[in-house]
């Protein structure tokens, strides 16, 4: 979810208003234009976008030996017709080891009912349109990623204004930036083809803006193609200024002319540039193509990262000092949930984005039986006057959302199966999962090798080896090596000199087991309060979890068992029968950051940051063009706290996008908020000592 600069409600987006004519053709009430022709919509889309980007020929020529990714960026998702046709063609022509990355921006998304009605016009696309409907994001502003067909299709839907969404994909280029793939200061261009759709310049002039053309120039590489139904002169001039060779060709049907073209040269002197940020400290250095990676840690963060990289054809070695999921990821039941806020802060935006990504991510695995769990629903009870006030606010801000229900009174008892009063949020598609089964499933990839009961002691990047990393054991022997290295070993990340500056802290948590017969009522869903209770497994209930910042002991403690029981009793007095007996439990240390956001991104070289950005201490608004100085191909993915099930899938996609030179699954603002370097920048601005 992204901030909305146009509306006081951070969750608001203006959905499309559809006028359905007697001919069955959907028309946009705001623009007075049709989405597609009832007679020739499919043929027109194929002619304009598929044929004139030469997709069939290009996809048939992709290497069957070397995996890769082909990226299409579209302006105007609309009914999804162009996406469905591209998907259909991809299945028919592209090698199975390639992924189609389809990025589409839509300012006024259709609601799910109108989307389904539009799809009824195309019986030949029924199977694909049904999958799209089941994975269609809720109507919330921001960047929504969906992995379809076992991740062979990566769909990013950006709900918002194209003039805000496209710049948010960029790492602000410096004035000296070029499209050279050897440039050390810039990310590699990602787009292979553009579908310039959306309504015509005559009815929707705001979209056809220099910002669109300048973002196309930055995101495109030599050979990137585009196609559009319009032939407007200013569109042609804007594209030519960005270096595109533009042809005017025959359009479809009654449209006499359209434009197509290829990026062939550098921008002209009068070309516009995208908006720049003052200090591009987040901009990662350009990466050489990686073939292998080492992941340290086999908890939820490490296993999800390994899977994301392996799905992209990278050979991954995972090093774990114990067994997979032996730390905080080893609890029998983990809760898939989020906490909402009326304020659009970065923490709220990230947690909601990761939750909405995690729901379909896990559902496919649950449906296939690959992981254990139950999407029984999660009820989050409002516990205090402050939380009740927020509940009232959010009920107004988040109306008519099918992924969230606002319950009160008897509705709480009906949903949960236990006596409750007050109010709370119910997430009907969420539930509990077995973290060990999630880790195990993620490691079952042909490209992943797991080394267990082996501790990584030092990380070595030899100067004469470029971006190649070695991991050594206590005796100095090489455990594993690869082109990239990702640290995901929770609190133990502090043992390495490259990451010892990170402000992470262990938080002890203990869960308790009791018999289902110990309660007067059995929960039907997960109930979160000051602790949580989940439905029983084989007659045993899991309750918890305690929260202790000042204790790093992982032995079971009676006081924490008593705390867990006390919280459950305060949630529903009389629920616990007399003489309840604790049958077992588990204690572990969560890893949390100073600001409670995960730490995900490139590992910064502290001394270089201090030197390059020292001027921020005098004026935080100082413009500095120097890009970030990071250890080559060294990344971090830690600090997920108690929400690792929810946050690690999206963070794994973010790490993979950095290492593979892809467009990220999150806007730049949130990537900066997750970056390991954010703490250094804050200290420099506040003139605090950096050790």
């Amino acid at each position: 979810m992204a901030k909305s600069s146009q509306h006081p409600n951070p969750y608001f987006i203006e959905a499309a208003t559809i006028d359905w004519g007697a001919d069955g053709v959907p028309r946009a009430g705001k623009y007075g234009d049709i989405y597609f022709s009832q007679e020739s919509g499919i043929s027109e889309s194929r002619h304009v976008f598929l044929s004139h980007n030469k997709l069939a020929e290009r996809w048939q020529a992709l290497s069957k030996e070397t995996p890769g990714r082909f990226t299409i960026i579209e302006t105007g998702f609309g009914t999804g017709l162009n996406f469905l046709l591209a998907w259909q063609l991809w299945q028919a022509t592209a090698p199975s080891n390639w992924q189609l990355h389809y990025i589409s921006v839509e300012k006024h998304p259709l609601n799910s009912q109108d989307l389904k009605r539009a799809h009824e016009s195309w019986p030949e696309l029924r199977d694909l349109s049904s999958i799209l409907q089941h994975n269609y994001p809720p109507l919330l502003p921001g960047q929504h990623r969906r992995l379809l067909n076992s991740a062979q299709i990566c769909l990013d839907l950006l709900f918002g204004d194209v003039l805000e969404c496209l710049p948010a994909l960029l790492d602000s280029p410096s004035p000296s930036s070029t499209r050279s793939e050897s440039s050390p200061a810039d990310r590699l261009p990602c787009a292979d083809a553009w579908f310039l759709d959306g309504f015509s310049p005559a009815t929707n002039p705001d979209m056809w803006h220099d910002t669109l053309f300048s973002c196309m120039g930055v995101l495109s590489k030599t050979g990137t193609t585009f196609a559009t139904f319009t032939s407007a002169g200013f569109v042609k001039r804007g594209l030519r200024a960005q270096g595109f060779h533009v042809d005017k060709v025959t359009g479809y049907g009654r449209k006499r002319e359209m434009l197509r073209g290829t990026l062939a040269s550098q921008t002209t002197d009068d070309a516009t540039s995208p908006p720049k940020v003052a200090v591009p400290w987040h901009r990662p250095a350009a990466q050489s193509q990686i073939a292998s990676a080492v992941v340290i840690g086999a908890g939820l963060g490490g296993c999800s990262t390994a899977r994301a990289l392996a799905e992209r054809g990278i050979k991954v070695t995972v090093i774990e000092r114990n067994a997979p999921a032996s730390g905080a990821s080893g609890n029998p039941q983990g809760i898939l949930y989020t906490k909402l806020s009326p304020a659009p802060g970065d923490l709220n935006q990230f947690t909601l984005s990761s939750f909405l990504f995690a729901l379909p991510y896990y559902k496919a695995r649950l449906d296939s039986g690959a992981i254990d769990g139950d999407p029984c629903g999660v009820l989050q009870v409002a516990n205090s006057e402050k939380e009740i006030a927020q509940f009232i606010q959010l009920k107004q801000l988040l109306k008519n959302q099918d992924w969230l229900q606002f319950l009160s009174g008897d509705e709480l008892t009906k949903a949960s199966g236990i006596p409750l009063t007050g109010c709370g949020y119910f997430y009907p598609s969420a539930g509990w999962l077995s973290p060990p089964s999630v880790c195990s499933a993620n490691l079952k990839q042909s490209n992943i090798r797991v080394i267990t009961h082996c501790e990584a002691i030092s990380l070595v990047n030899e100067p004469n080896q470029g971006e190649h990393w070695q991991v050594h054991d206590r005796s100095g022997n090489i455990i594993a090596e690869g082109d990239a290295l990702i640290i995901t070993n929770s609190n133990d990340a502090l043992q390495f000199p490259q990451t010892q500056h990170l402000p992470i802290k262990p938080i002890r948590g203990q869960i308790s087991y009791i018999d289902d017969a110990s309660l007067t009522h059995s929960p039907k869903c997960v109930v979160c309060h000051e602790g949580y209770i989940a439905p029983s497994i084989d007659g045993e209930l899991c309750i918890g979890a305690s929260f202790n910042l000042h204790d790093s002991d992982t032995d079971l403690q009676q006081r924490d068992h008593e705390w867990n029981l006390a919280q459950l009793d305060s949630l529903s007095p009389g629920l616990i029968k007399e003489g309840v007996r604790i049958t077992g439990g588990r204690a572990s240390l969560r890893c949390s950051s100073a600001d409670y956001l995960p730490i995900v991104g490139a590992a910064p070289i502290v001394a270089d940051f201090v030197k390059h950005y020292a001027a921020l201490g005098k004026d935080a608004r100082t413009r500095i063009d120097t890009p970030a100085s990071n250890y080559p191909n060294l990344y971090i993915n830690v600090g997920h706290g108690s929400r690792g099930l929810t946050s690690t899938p999206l963070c794994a996609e973010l790490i993979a996008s950095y290492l593979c030179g892809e467009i990220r699954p999150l806007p730049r603002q949130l990537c900066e908020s997750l970056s390991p370097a954010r703490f250094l920048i804050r200290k420099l601005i506040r003139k605090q000592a950096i050790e």
Side-chain angles (χ1 to χ4, degrees), residues 351-574:
T351 54
L352 180 53
S353 293
S354 59
F355 175 71
L356 294 174
F357 174 75
L359 288 177
Y361 176 90
Y362 288 123
K363 183 179 186 304
R365 291 157 176 75
L366 279 169
D367 290 347
S368 69
I371 62 175
D372 300 327
D374 184 4
C376 54
V378 172
L379 177 64
Q380 175 75 48
V381 178
N383 293 301
S384 63
E385 291 185 7
K386 178 181 178 181
E387 290 179 355
I388 292 171
Q390 288 183 337
F391 175 91
I392 295 170
Q393 285 182 277
L394 286 164
K395 190 174 182 179
Q396 293 299 314
L397 297 175
L398 280 164
K399 295 179 179 178
N400 305 318
Q401 298 286 338
D402 58 6
W403 57 276
L404 172 64
Q405 298 171 15
F406 294 88
L407 307 183
S408 58
D410 293 342
E411 294 174 327
L412 299 180
T413 299
K414 184 177 180 180
S416 67
I418 61 178
L420 295 172
T421 58
C423 57
Y425 314 92
F426 185 62
Y427 304 95
S429 299
W432 68 267
L433 301 172
S434 162
S437 77
V438 171
C439 290
S440 176
N442 281 338
L443 293 177
K444 290 179 181 176
Q445 303 289 317
S446 59
N447 285 338
I448 296 177
R449 177 174 68 109
V450 183
I451 301 174
T452 60
H453 302 92
C454 184
E455 188 173 7
I457 297 299
S458 63
L459 316 177
V460 179
N461 176 227
E462 296 291 347
N464 61 348
Q465 292 183 332
E467 297 175 346
H468 193 77
W469 285 91
Q470 295 178 346
V471 181
H472 293 186
D473 64 14
R474 195 173 299 277
S475 300
N477 300 314
I478 298 174
I479 304 171
E481 52 190 329
D483 301 327
L485 180 62
I486 306 95
I487 298 172
T488 68
N489 59 341
S490 188
N491 295 294
D492 289 336
L494 295 180
Q495 76 184 65
F496 304 122
Q498 296 89 343
T499 51
Q500 64 183 2
H501 64 281
L502 294 174
I504 58 179
K505 52 191 176 183
I507 301 176
R508 172 187 159 84
Q510 180 174 309
I511 57 175
S512 306
Y513 307 145
I514 59 175
D515 291 332
D516 191 14
S518 301
L519 303 185
T520 59
H521 298 78
S522 297
K524 297 192 301 184
C525 70
V526 177
V527 180
C528 296
H529 47 109
E530 290 298 328
Y532 72 85
I533 182 170
S536 65
I537 303 176
D538 298 328
E540 186 173 68
L541 288 162
C542 176
I543 63 173
S546 62
F547 187 96
N548 195 324
L549 276 168
H550 307 292
D551 188 349
S552 58
D553 189 355
T554 56
D555 291 336
L556 290 177
Q557 299 179 5
Q558 183 61 29
R559 67 180 184 185
D560 281 7
H561 285 320
E562 293 172 357
W563 187 91
N564 289 335
L565 287 172
Q567 297 307 312
L568 184 58
D569 184 62
S570 65
L571 169 71
S572 179

Side-chain angles (χ1 to χ4, degrees), residues 225-259:
T225 62
F226 80 88
T228 178
F229 59 87
T230 185
S231 60
F234 75 92
V235 174
K236 181 166 55 177
R237 291 188 293 273
L239 290 168
R240 282 179 173 165
Q242 295 298 328
F244 284 92
H245 175 80
V246 181
D247 293 320
K248 186 181 290 186
V249 296
T250 303
Y252 185 86
R254 289 175 291 179
K255 294 181 179 178
R256 293 189 306 165
E257 297 173 323
M258 58 167 281
L259 301 178

Side-chain angles (χ1 to χ4, degrees), residues 53-109:
N53 276 293
K54 299 182 180 179
L55 296 185
E57 302 94 310
R58 295 167 72 184
W59 292 348
Q60 287 170 344
L62 296 175
S63 171
K64 295 180 175 59
E65 287 73 39
T66 305
R69 165 177 286 217
F70 191 98
T71 301
I72 296 173
I73 306 181
E74 176 185 47
T75 57
F77 186 75
T79 61
L81 176 57
N82 294 338
F83 167 66
L84 294 172
L85 292 174
W87 184 1
Q88 183 188 56
L89 181 64
W90 181 264
Q91 288 185 323
T93 59
S96 60
N97 59 338
W98 278 67
Q99 184 185 65
L100 175 62
H101 190 185
Y102 195 100
I103 303 163
S104 188
V105 186
E106 179 54 64
K107 186 175 182 179
H108 302 296

Side-chain angles (χ1 to χ4, degrees), residues 589-610:
L589 300 177
R590 313 174 185 98
C591 174
S592 183
S593 73
D595 58 11
Y596 295 102
L597 276 163
I599 301 173
V600 187
I605 300 175
V606 176
D608 287 353
F609 264 75
V610 172

Side-chain angles (χ1 to χ4, degrees), residues 58-172:
R58 295 167 72 184
W59 292 348
Q60 287 170 344
L62 296 175
S63 171
K64 295 180 175 59
E65 287 73 39
T66 305
R69 165 177 286 217
F70 191 98
T71 301
I72 296 173
I73 306 181
E74 176 185 47
T75 57
F77 186 75
T79 61
L81 176 57
N82 294 338
F83 167 66
L84 294 172
L85 292 174
W87 184 1
Q88 183 188 56
L89 181 64
W90 181 264
Q91 288 185 323
T93 59
S96 60
N97 59 338
W98 278 67
Q99 184 185 65
L100 175 62
H101 190 185
Y102 195 100
I103 303 163
S104 188
V105 186
E106 179 54 64
K107 186 175 182 179
H108 302 296
L110 274 68
N111 63 45
S112 56
Q113 294 80 16
D114 284 331
L115 187 78
K116 183 176 181 179
R117 183 173 177 180
H119 291 173
E120 292 171 355
S121 300
W122 316 310
E124 69 179 270
L125 300 173
R126 182 178 294 112
D127 291 344
L128 300 184
S129 61
S130 177
I131 296 173
L132 174 58
Q133 291 163 28
H134 283 96
N135 287 275
Y136 193 62
L139 299 189
L140 293 168
Q143 192 168 340
H144 305 273
R145 173 161 292 192
R146 296 293 182 267
L147 301 177
L148 311 174
N149 271 24
S150 300
Q152 286 191 332
I153 307 295
C154 177
L155 172 64
D156 278 337
L157 285 177
L158 283 58
F159 287 167
D161 193 321
V162 68
L163 305 185
E164 296 177 0
C165 290
L166 286 185
L169 298 179
L170 306 176
D171 295 309
S172 180

Side-chain angles (χ1 to χ4, degrees), residues 277-296:
V277 294
V279 185
W281 58 268
H282 171 259
R283 184 168 72 231
Q287 306 291 338
S288 59
Q289 188 170 1
I290 67 169
S292 60
V294 179
V295 174
I296 300 177

